[in-house]
């Protein structure tokens, strides 16, 4: 790893997104940018989808004599005034060096590190708005759990963002319930970042020549491999040498806190798939919990689910996935455990069985306009597998989708997942 030291320029960080998880991540990185002034600019821009909001009477900031409480204000103004996201992450103090900004173009301007943390359905439109406003050598981290799936292909959100913006983007995922992270309750996460070769500060000697006369300037390389082992469509621009090298060490410095432990790996596909497929498994775990079948049944669902997650990764991303990512990293087994214990996919699936109503109706009642990722991912993954005749090799992923569609019963789940002997 490169040694972090004094450099002429410092990294500027922007968080694109300001929901509860986006605000929690902004809190973490702002604490670290302030703690490492030799590497980072102190202020962290946080793009906020502007809306008007009134501080609720239950808030600690509510003051009946203040117009800040008795009238609606722009959310960005409230965040910058109270140093708290009073709507999406209430009662959590944010560092004063977080600057809430309603302008997407202004918030990403001159930033060398972009952290994406927003609902996946908004990615395309926001990337279109960012074009022309970001540095050509910016690098990114996607905190968006899930993958883009169609019958034709499957791609990672990190790579979709990278292709739209012409930059390299890694991923962050793990057993990270936003409110617990914001409350500084101990947890772990996994950051997946495979530094592009042009960002290396160590020239590679050409074979058969003396090192002094034959060093290959990696900064002139524009190509890199994607997670499927193919040459990426994106032609990258090397980061300037006067910036601290953006490698595993710097990523650790940016995200690690005493309460938020970080392990940095290169397996972007494995980390991304873990964050997507575990949501389907969590639905299945919620179904059996709704029947009050107990912890043994839930453990059985989780075991089969973990095996299918690992198999899926190796089958469709064989050139980059490490199967150990699913069993060793927070983005794998730990995130699965958390999601099958208290995540919203699990909770809504459980309530749908208990209340004998569709999960879509539970979603409307319980999530205040937000949407479950597990249901859409289950549909997309099933279509992807079916188009390849592989649905029978993933009985849990397939059965969960069929239950959502009303084509199978939760009570039949043990028999459905026992039909395959592929493991």
């Amino acid at each position: 790893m490169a040694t972090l030291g004094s450099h002429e320029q410092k990294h500027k960080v922007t968080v694109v997104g300001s929901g509860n998880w986006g605000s929690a991540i902004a809190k973490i990185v702002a604490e670290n940018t302030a703690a490492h002034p030799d590497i980072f600019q102190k202020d962290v821009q946080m793009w906020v989808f502007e809306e008007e909001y009134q501080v609720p009477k239950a808030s600690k900031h509510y003051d009946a004599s203040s117009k800040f409480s008795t009238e609606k204000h722009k959310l960005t103004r409230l965040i910058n005034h109270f140093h708290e996201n009073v709507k999406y992450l209430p009662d959590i103090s944010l560092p004063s060096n977080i600057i809430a900004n309603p302008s997407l173009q202004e918030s990403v301007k001159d930033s060398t590190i972009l952290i994406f943390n927003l609902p996946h359905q908004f990615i395309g439109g926001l990337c279109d708005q960012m074009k022309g406003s970001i540095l050509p050598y910016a690098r990114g981290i996607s905190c968006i759990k899930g993958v883009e799936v169609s019958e034709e292909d499957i791609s990672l959100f990190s790579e979709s963002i990278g292709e739209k913006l012409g930059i390299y983007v890694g991923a962050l995922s793990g057993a990270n319930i936003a409110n617990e992270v914001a409350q500084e309750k101990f947890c772990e996460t996994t950051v997946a970042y495979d530094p592009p070769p042009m960002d290396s500060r160590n020239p590679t000697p050409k074979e058969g020549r003396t090192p002094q006369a034959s060093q290959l300037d990696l900064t002139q390389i524009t190509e890199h491999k994607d997670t499927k082992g193919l040459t990426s469509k994106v032609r990258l621009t090397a980061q300037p040498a006067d910036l601290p090298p953006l490698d595993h060490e710097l990523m650790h410095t940016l995200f690690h806190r005493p309460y938020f432990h970080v392990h940095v790996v290169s397996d972007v596909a494995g980390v991304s798939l873990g964050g997507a497929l575990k949501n389907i498994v969590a639905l299945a775990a919620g179904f059996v919990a709704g029947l009050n079948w107990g912890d043994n049944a839930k453990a059985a669902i989780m075991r089969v689910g973990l095996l299918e997650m690992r198999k899926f990764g190796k089958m469709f991303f064989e050139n980059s996935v490490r199967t150990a990512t699913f069993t060793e990293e927070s983005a794998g087994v730990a995130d699965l455990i958390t999601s099958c214990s208290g995540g919203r996919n699990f909770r809504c699936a459980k309530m749908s069985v208990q209340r004998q109503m569709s999960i879509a109706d539970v979603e409307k009642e319980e999530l205040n306009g937000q949407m479950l990722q597990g249901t859409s991912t289950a549909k997309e993954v099933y279509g992807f597998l079916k188009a390849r005749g592989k649905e029978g090799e993933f009985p849990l992923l397939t059965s969960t989708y069929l239950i959502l569609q009303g084509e199978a019963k939760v009570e039949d789940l043990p028999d459905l997942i026992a039909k395959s002997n592929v493991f």
Side-chain angles (χ1 to χ4, degrees), residues 267 270 306 310-311 313-314 320-328:
D267 184 8
L306 184 61
R310 187 176 69 175
K311 181 179 179 180
K314 204 61 185 172
S320 66
V321 157
R322 290 180 64 251
T323 54
T325 297
F326 298 99
T327 55
E328 296 177 3

Side-chain angles (χ1 to χ4, degrees), residues 287 348-366 372 375 403-406:
F287 289 148
C348 287
K350 180 179 178 180
M351 285 186 281
S352 75
V353 175
Q354 292 174 331
R355 299 176 185 179
Q356 297 185 339
M357 59 193 296
S358 74
I359 200 165
D361 289 337
V362 173
E363 188 179 59
K364 292 175 183 177
E365 287 186 1
E366 299 291 331
L372 294 175
T375 51
I403 291 170
L404 289 170
Q405 292 299 108

